[in-house]
Amino acid sequence: MKNILESRFLQEFCLTADNMYRLGWDERNGGNISLLLNDDEVKEYLDPRSVKRVIPLMGVHAVDFDITPLIGKCFLVTGTGKYFKNVRREPEINLGVVRVGEGGKSLDLLWGFEDGGRPTSEFPAHMMSHIARLSVDPENRVVMHCHPTYTLAMNFVHELDEKSFTKDLWRMCTECVVVFPDGVAVLPWMLCGTTEIGKATAEKMKESRLVVWAMHGIYGAGRNLDETFGLIETVEKAAQIYMLTFDKKPVNTITDQAMKQLADLFGVKVKDGYLD
């Protein structure tokens, strides 16, 4: 059995968490990441028969959502109350590999959380989003939540309308319409850690890989850690440019026609009805 600390997926996960903290997206214990592992990855580094302990899946009830598609699936996930700044230094304490139990009400801990910890309290919301994304993209493996500064700041000065929010982000940098042509979904402020916000996020995830939680943060989803990190990174850069210019009467912009040309050049499908 190989050492999981030397696995590519764990090292990339730790590096991603470290970069998110360095950029100021995940202060204190803010934010969380989950990575869906494939069976070969698990078997190469862990014995799937060796369960360290069983963790009840708190806050999830039979009426909440159908967890069936994820039963038996394994995730590398950040821990509740854990600080991102410590992930790279002590991954075995701040991270865990968990498998969704047969009944869908518990998690089998295969590795990590050595101090008695458990997955992020947002894990049920992550699982809802994983199910939603897998239904439209079977290759989706990552759900990432964080609190990027300029994206949050933009929530306070921009109307929370998905079309106008997305288009103003697209206009800030030439690459934006190419990187996230499916746009940015926006939810009004909702109580975090609840079934309601998890369901609302998952519903948005069926059409967009990015969902803003107003005055809170953003959820991103993707096929790997780099893609998901890059989506949020691009939104945050665009939001920063917006915050630096929106009150200064800009005299130039990227037109809808120019964005259509970009979409055609790079072969991406822009969200229907967003470009005139």
Side-chain angles (χ1 to χ4, degrees), residues 133 144 162 166 169-170 176 179-187 201 204-205 207-213 218-222 227-236:
R133 287 306 306 164
M144 185 179 291
E162 292 179 345
T166 293
L169 289 172
W170 281 348
C176 287
V179 174
F180 52 100
D182 43 346
V184 177
V186 180
L187 289 175
T201 304
K204 295 289 188 183
M205 280 281 182
E207 296 185 357
S208 175
R209 294 165 296 163
L210 293 157
V211 182
V212 165
W213 285 7
I218 191 169
Y219 256 62
E227 177 186 335
T228 314
F229 180 92
L231 284 170
I232 297 173
E233 183 179 35
T234 307
V235 168
E236 174 67 352

Side-chain angles (χ1 to χ4, degrees), residues 243-264:
M243 293 304 297
L244 290 170
T245 59
F246 82 98
D247 59 347
K248 295 180 173 58
K249 298 182 180 179
V251 296
N252 302 305
T253 190
I254 300 175
T255 65
D256 282 17
Q257 184 58 37
M259 286 190 279
K260 286 180 181 178
Q261 291 176 325
L262 282 165
D264 290 342

Side-chain angles (χ1 to χ4, degrees), residues 153-203:
M154 190 173 168
N155 292 181
F156 290 91
V157 299
H158 195 288
E159 61 182 324
L160 298 177
D161 170 76
E162 292 179 345
K163 182 176 178 179
S164 62
F165 197 92
T166 293
K167 288 188 70 174
D168 277 341
L169 289 172
W170 281 348
R171 291 188 183 103
M172 294 302 104
C173 186
T174 297
E175 68 172 353
C176 287
V177 73
V178 177
V179 174
F180 52 100
D182 43 346
V184 177
V186 180
L187 289 175
W189 187 92
M190 298 175 69
L191 189 63
C192 58
T194 64
T195 297
E196 288 71 26
I197 197 169
K199 284 184 174 180
T201 304
E203 191 61 32

Side-chain angles (χ1 to χ4, degrees), residues 95-168:
L95 307 176
V97 174
V98 296
R99 178 176 60 210
V100 180
E102 287 301 320
K105 296 299 176 186
S106 62
L107 303 169
D108 299 329
L109 178 63
L110 302 181
W111 174 87
F113 298 141
E114 291 186 1
D115 63 347
R118 53 176 296 117
T120 169
S121 60
E122 299 288 356
F123 193 43
H126 277 239
M127 290 191 290
M128 293 179 203
S129 286
H130 275 289
I131 292 170
R133 287 306 306 164
L134 288 168
S135 71
V136 295
D137 180 6
E139 300 300 316
N140 191 92
R141 296 179 66 197
V142 177
V143 171
M144 185 179 291
H145 170 56
C146 57
H147 310 151
T149 305
Y150 288 96
T151 304
L152 269 174
M154 190 173 168
N155 292 181
F156 290 91
V157 299
H158 195 288
E159 61 182 324
L160 298 177
D161 170 76
E162 292 179 345
K163 182 176 178 179
S164 62
F165 197 92
T166 293
K167 288 188 70 174
D168 277 341

